[in-house]
Amino acid sequence: MKHTYTKMLFILVFLCSGWAVQAQEICDNGIDDNNNGLIDLQDPECACHPIIQLLAPNSLPNPSFEEMDCCPSNFSQLQCTRDWKLGNTATADYMHTCGFILAGITNSGLVPFPDGDGVAGMIFADGWKEYLSICLNDTIPCGAEVTISFWTAFVPIQNNGQLCTIISKLGPVQFTIYGAPHCNSLTLDVTDCPSKGDLTWMAMGSVMINPLNEWHQVSLTFTTPEEITAIMLGAPCQLSGEFTGPLCYPYYVIDGIVVKEEITMNKIPIREKGQMCQVADTLEAAIPCNDAGLWQWYYEGVALAGETSSLLSLSEYDYALGDYQVLYTTSEGCASGNFLVQIRDLDTTISRIGNTLVAQETNVTYKWVDCDNGYKLIAGEASPAFTPTKNGNYAVILTHTNCADTSSCYAIMTVGVNESVLPHLRVYPNPTPGALTIEFGQIIAHANLEIIDLFGRITATQKIRDADKMALTLEGMPGIYWVRLYSEGEMLAVIRVLKE
């Protein structure tokens, strides 16, 4: 009898142990239910796998404005390019190397274009905002995370298309993508933003672009709030800074628009609310397309008890820094989002385009300083963009209500040496993937060549002896480079090159 009791006890312990090992993790109770050392979202059993879908190839027709029915001969002839429409009655422009190109575009050195022979251009001004619209070849489903990239450049123009210089303190602008669930109203009877003419047009996402008189590539990612069959591109509804006319218009050109075909279906965007240079007060999750599900917030993968809405107050958790996650569950599956909470420092990054330095942080005050003169303030320079009048090293002081920070010093070494004394100089291709040919237009007996990157650093040198042309390769990352040619102290040419 004793042996029977011992045997039964062993079997009971074995069964209980087996049940504990095989128990399933409950993903919202803050407990390691299956005893594997992992709690809630830390456990692979609780993973919310993203759904990946593919849009139809060429979902965006005519992305580089190459296909056309006529060669443009003047302003406001967007109808010459196929598929694209005027977004409103403020008339965007179509330009092609076969015919019409604004003088300001040519004089700014923006030809050749980065992607083929055609581009479109739009004015961003208070009371006169120009847009491009198009009907897509495929419907973007509700809740899709979409990425769009394109080339753009800024040109200040007069009514006749010539360059102007009145706009000197123009700040960054939110280049905006709008979407609509139909293709019925591609041209709206307004000269303002799309929602002023049709409320079904919604701002889906934007990217901050600086007023740079250079081709540069930007991208933005957004989540669609509903099914989208048409998009519109242009200015935000609210402009800040000097966006005025008619003496001098802010004008943006665009080329090479790419819609990434792979989309993610169940990513939930999270944004923070609060003051700069402090921990955020609140995290807010975007309401998904299907709002009949259940919310649950997590910290470092562990469920936060009672946090079952789209808002999370960080004050309840002493503003703890770290990774926060949110899970949204319906009968059809789940969607998730994550956000790293940290003290939001100012972005002291500066981009350098030509001889212009541009601060990347927005909604702050700017004070440019001369690093070579004890960080002395430069009088009158209080905008995001700064163009020095002499060579040297410069930085910007960024000031917000709660804090201030200073950028690194950036070198400007090419002031006053932008003109070529070689009248027949040719550089091609430009833009280039890397390989470049320079034809001097004459025999160069003796000269030196330097390649300078965006930060003013000399990345390569080469000697020229009795040659009328040469081939070289830009080895660095994509971006702006200068090829500087000089002989016996005389500057022969400074060639601006864009590496794709």
Side-chain angles (χ1 to χ4, degrees), residues 352 355 391 411-420 422 425 427 436 438 440 447-453 456-464 470 472 474 481-487 489-497:
R352 181 180 186 271
N355 289 333
N391 292 326
I412 295 291
M413 304 302 296
T414 53
V415 174
V417 294
N418 292 317
E419 299 297 328
S420 172
L422 302 174
L425 182 77
V427 180
L436 194 67
I438 304 176
F440 305 127
N448 296 302
L449 181 145
E450 296 174 340
I451 299 176
I452 305 170
D453 70 8
R457 300 173 299 200
I458 298 174
T459 61
T461 61
Q462 192 166 332
K463 295 185 182 297
I464 301 169
M470 68 175 300
L472 56 90
L474 302 179
Y481 289 81
W482 288 266
V483 180
R484 185 161 62 187
L485 186 67
Y486 63 96
S487 176
E490 180 185 14
M491 191 63 60
L492 302 179
V494 176
I495 308 156
R496 186 174 55 199
V497 180

Side-chain angles (χ1 to χ4, degrees), residues 307-344:
E307 299 296 348
T308 55
S309 74
S310 60
L311 295 175
L312 177 66
S313 174
L314 296 181
S315 62
E316 297 293 329
Y317 302 96
D318 295 324
Y319 302 100
L321 304 180
D323 285 307
Y324 288 80
Q325 302 83 28
V326 68
L327 207 66
Y328 182 79
T329 307
T330 71
S331 58
E332 298 178 354
C334 70
S336 63
N338 63 278
F339 193 91
L340 177 61
V341 172
Q342 53 190 348
I343 296 176
R344 294 173 292 165

Side-chain angles (χ1 to χ4, degrees), residues 136-172:
L136 301 173
N137 286 331
D138 193 7
T139 297
I140 302 176
C142 180
E145 186 181 74
V146 183
T147 298
I148 294 180
S149 61
F150 55 90
W151 290 91
T152 187
F154 165 77
V155 183
I157 63 167
Q158 303 174 52
N159 267 327
N160 59 6
Q162 297 286 344
L163 281 174
C164 55
T165 58
I166 295 176
I167 300 177
S168 59
K169 304 298 182 183
L170 188 67

